[in-house]
Structure formats: structure tokens, C-alpha cells
Amino acid sequence: IQDDMASGDVHSALMLCDQMASEFGAVEESEKLRSQIQSALHQQHQTRIQEELKLLEDLLSQHNWVEAYQYAAKMRRLYPETPLLHGIEQHIADARVQYRHSLEERFVEAAEKNEIEQSMELLKELDRYLTPDEARQFRDTANSVISSYRDTLVTRFKMAVSDLRWSQAVEFGEAI
């Protein structure tokens, strides 16, 4: 039994415990060993779940929301009884909302500082997170940023044409 436990063959160790109790009558010792096996199995299980949760946190830090929800669903299927997964979907949703709020703040701050390039990049990313109703509060700021960005592209386009940099002119023209 000890060898099976050491090698991780839990099922074999449990079968030997059953055999020890039924064939040799060592019920008390068998139950002690069974408790040790169950405890070790539980600890392994908890360790695996903690490792899985770290992988989920990596997905969240990379803002891979769809993959995070899929990974959470997989974890729920693998470990349906564990309390460590209670509220995991809410945790993902909270992380997503927190990131959206961070994007909103960074967008407004960049727009106020007249950092047009950065504002435009943040606006593009923010657009994936906002509903039309939520976007209304940013309409004026977004229109200003888009207009300034377009003016910058027009200026760059004109400069590229006058300098005969045709490939850059085409890029700016497509962006406009």
C-alpha cells in the first residue's frame, strides 16, 4: 500500500486496503491507511486546481476573456465539486469590467493630454468593450480624437505625396 501511494497509484492502494480489511481482518489499520490515501489524494487535487487557477490568471492578465471563460468551463467539468471554483465566472467578469474601466480612464487622460495616437489606439480597444449606451458618454471626446487623428493623417499623407514617398502615402490614404 505504501509503495502504491508513493508511486501515485491511488486506485491500487485503495483496492489493497479493501483486501486488507476483508481478507486479513485488519479493518482499523485499513481505514487509517484509506484516510491517509484520501488525504493525499485531496492534497494532490487541491494543488492541481491551484495550478489551473494560475493559468486562468495568466489568461486574465493577457485580457483573453473568451479563452478564460472556456478554461473556467473546462475546470468546472474537471473539478465539479471543489469550492475553489465558486464564483469563477464572476471573477472573470469582474476582471473584464475592471480592465474596461482602466481603458476608459486611460482614454480620457490621453485625450485630455492631446496624445492623439495613443487616444486613438485606446479608443479602438475600448470600442470592443462598450455597449452603445455606455459609449454615449465618450461620444464628444471620441469625435474630437477621431477628427484630430484624421487631420494628422491628412497632413502626413500630403507630406508623403510631396516627398514622393508613395508607399507611405498609400498607407496614410488607406488609414484616412
Side-chain angles (χ1 to χ4, degrees), residues 21-76:
S22 63
E23 291 181 23
F24 301 109
V27 176
E28 199 172 311
E29 188 177 349
S30 170
E31 285 305 314
K32 254 189 221 178
L33 288 170
R34 182 182 300 281
S35 292
Q36 288 176 0
I37 294 168
Q38 293 294 347
S39 177
L41 186 60
H42 178 73
Q43 186 58 41
Q44 287 175 352
H45 193 69
Q46 296 298 319
T47 302
R48 255 187 279 144
I49 293 170
Q50 291 296 336
E51 289 169 2
E52 299 276 354
L53 287 171
K54 287 177 187 174
L55 293 174
L56 177 69
E57 288 301 322
D58 288 344
L59 290 172
L60 294 179
S61 69
Q62 297 167 12
H63 316 298
N64 293 330
W65 313 116
V66 173
E67 291 91 347
Y69 278 111
Q70 291 171 344
Y71 198 74
K74 173 188 161 193
M75 288 175 62
R76 282 239 186 249

Side-chain angles (χ1 to χ4, degrees), residues 103-141:
L103 279 176
E104 291 170 357
E105 291 171 9
R106 291 174 29 218
F107 167 69
V108 170
E109 183 179 317
E112 287 172 353
K113 291 180 179 178
N114 206 27
E115 296 171 347
I116 302 304
E117 298 278 335
Q118 183 180 7
S119 299
M120 194 64 191
E121 291 303 314
L122 289 168
L123 180 61
K124 288 176 187 176
E125 188 172 0
L126 185 58
D127 186 49
R128 295 182 295 179
Y129 290 89
L130 298 176
T131 66
D133 288 336
E134 294 168 336
R136 282 193 183 95
Q137 66 179 332
F138 300 105
R139 183 179 299 158
D140 293 338
T141 306

Side-chain angles (χ1 to χ4, degrees), residues 59-105:
L59 290 172
L60 294 179
S61 69
Q62 297 167 12
H63 316 298
N64 293 330
W65 313 116
V66 173
E67 291 91 347
Y69 278 111
Q70 291 171 344
Y71 198 74
K74 173 188 161 193
M75 288 175 62
R76 282 239 186 249
R77 287 189 302 273
L78 290 173
Y79 314 108
E81 301 298 321
T82 184
L84 293 174
L85 299 180
H86 291 317
I88 194 167
E89 289 85 3
Q90 186 61 48
H91 176 64
I92 296 168
D94 291 345
R96 188 178 186 279
V97 167
Q98 183 179 11
Y99 181 67
R100 187 193 85 199
H101 289 307
S102 169
L103 279 176
E104 291 170 357
E105 291 171 9

Side-chain angles (χ1 to χ4, degrees), residues 1-21 24 26 29-37:
I1 292 172
Q2 295 293 338
D3 288 344
D4 285 345
M5 285 175 56
S7 69
D9 191 356
V10 175
H11 297 295
S12 178
L14 289 172
M15 286 177 53
L16 288 173
C17 283
D18 290 343
Q19 209 173 26
M20 185 176 160
F24 301 109
E29 188 177 349
S30 170
E31 285 305 314
K32 254 189 221 178
L33 288 170
R34 182 182 300 281
S35 292
Q36 288 176 0
I37 294 168

